[in-house]
Amino acid sequence: MRRRQLLTGALAATAAFHPRVSHASHISTRGTVLLVPLRTFPADLCDAVEALLVAQLNVRVERADPQPLPQLAYHPPRRRYRADKLLDHLLAVLPKERPELRALGLTTVDISTTKGRMADWGVFGLGLMPGRACVVSSHRLQRGARDREHLAFRVATTALHEVGHTLGLDHCAEARCPMQDAGGGIENTDSSLAELGPGCRAVLDALHPARG
């Protein structure tokens, strides 16, 4: 029940690349997150992401028109898209006159990055820390999901994690905090309470005091 409460209440919005503000996001904020579907992304999952970002990070949320996946990001050997190149693409579409915006790319395709000696490591998401862009993929998150609600929980919690990175939050060791490192598995995501632990909350408040 707690997960449902955290993930419900967002209003659906029709995407428009001149971003449209969602009605749920008129509270005091730490900036604005622009949801950018890459090719396409399900509306119900966007709603779940928006609800959790507003509730946990106190940000405004706006939505953009779906953007094409950049061909330069495609990695033919594994039929994936490179997450770091998707971040470059997202930074390029952010309006320069709005420095308060952070872009969250949302995609259904498989994404990867370089991790240590692994040249092409499949990931749930990737975010600049700190920075103005992050990306989340539902491709791996849907594996083993019990139902649509469970998938929405995974996607929204992963989005909270990656947007948290853009706000300066590092991986943490707090039990059931969404800022824990996934470590290549889904267990920490599934066991998360979908709310920042006390330590991460204190860091967020210090780095970005909420403003009216």
Side-chain angles (χ1 to χ4, degrees):
M1 180 62 70
R2 182 171 184 79
R3 291 180 179 180
R4 290 185 182 181
Q5 292 171 343
L6 287 166
L7 291 174
T8 56
L11 299 176
T14 302
F17 188 67
H18 292 292
R20 172 174 167 175
V21 181
S22 295
H23 297 293
S25 308
H26 63 280
I27 56 179
S28 94
T29 71
R30 292 185 169 95
T32 302
V33 177
L34 180 63
L35 304 188
V36 184
L38 294 171
R39 185 185 291 164
T40 184
F41 200 74
D44 63 318
L45 300 184
C46 285
D47 292 343
V49 167
E50 177 175 340
L52 193 59
L53 295 183
V54 171
Q56 285 298 303
L57 298 179
N58 206 11
V59 292
R60 288 166 59 93
V61 173
E62 300 180 8
R63 302 200 190 188
D65 274 329
Q67 299 292 301
L69 282 159
Q71 193 60 33
L72 286 175
Y74 187 59
H75 185 59
R78 305 294 292 276
R79 298 182 181 179
R80 296 170 170 171
Y81 283 79
R82 294 289 295 179
D84 51 335
K85 293 183 179 179
L86 293 178
L87 297 186
D88 291 340
H89 174 72
L90 291 167
L91 289 172
V93 303
L94 281 173
K96 293 182 173 58
E97 66 274 13
R98 296 193 58 191
E100 84 283 4
L101 283 181
R102 288 177 170 82
L104 167 57
L106 296 168
T107 184
T108 60
V109 302
D110 199 12
I111 62 175
S112 63
T113 190
T114 299
K115 182 176 181 179
R117 296 182 179 180
M118 298 292 295
D120 192 55
W121 176 263
V123 294
F124 303 143
L126 186 70
L128 300 174
M129 191 191 80
R132 297 184 64 202
C134 56
V135 63
V136 168
S137 167
S138 63
H139 181 85
R140 292 168 181 269
L141 295 170
Q142 68 186 351
R143 296 176 180 173
R146 295 185 299 274
D147 51 30
R148 194 69 175 179
E149 182 181 341
H150 188 198
L151 174 60
F153 174 83
R154 286 178 170 182
V155 171
T157 304
T158 304
L160 174 59
H161 179 104
E162 300 304 344
V163 176
H165 280 326
T166 71
L167 290 166
L169 296 181
D170 204 345
H171 290 149
C172 79
E174 294 186 86
R176 307 188 76 180
C177 176
M179 292 310 300
Q180 285 190 320
D181 188 356
I186 197 65
E187 292 80 10
N188 286 343
T189 302
D190 278 347
S191 65
S192 168
L193 289 176
E195 58 183 19
L196 296 178
C200 286
R201 174 66 59 191
V203 172
L204 180 65
D205 289 341
L207 291 174
H208 302 278
R211 62 184 185 277

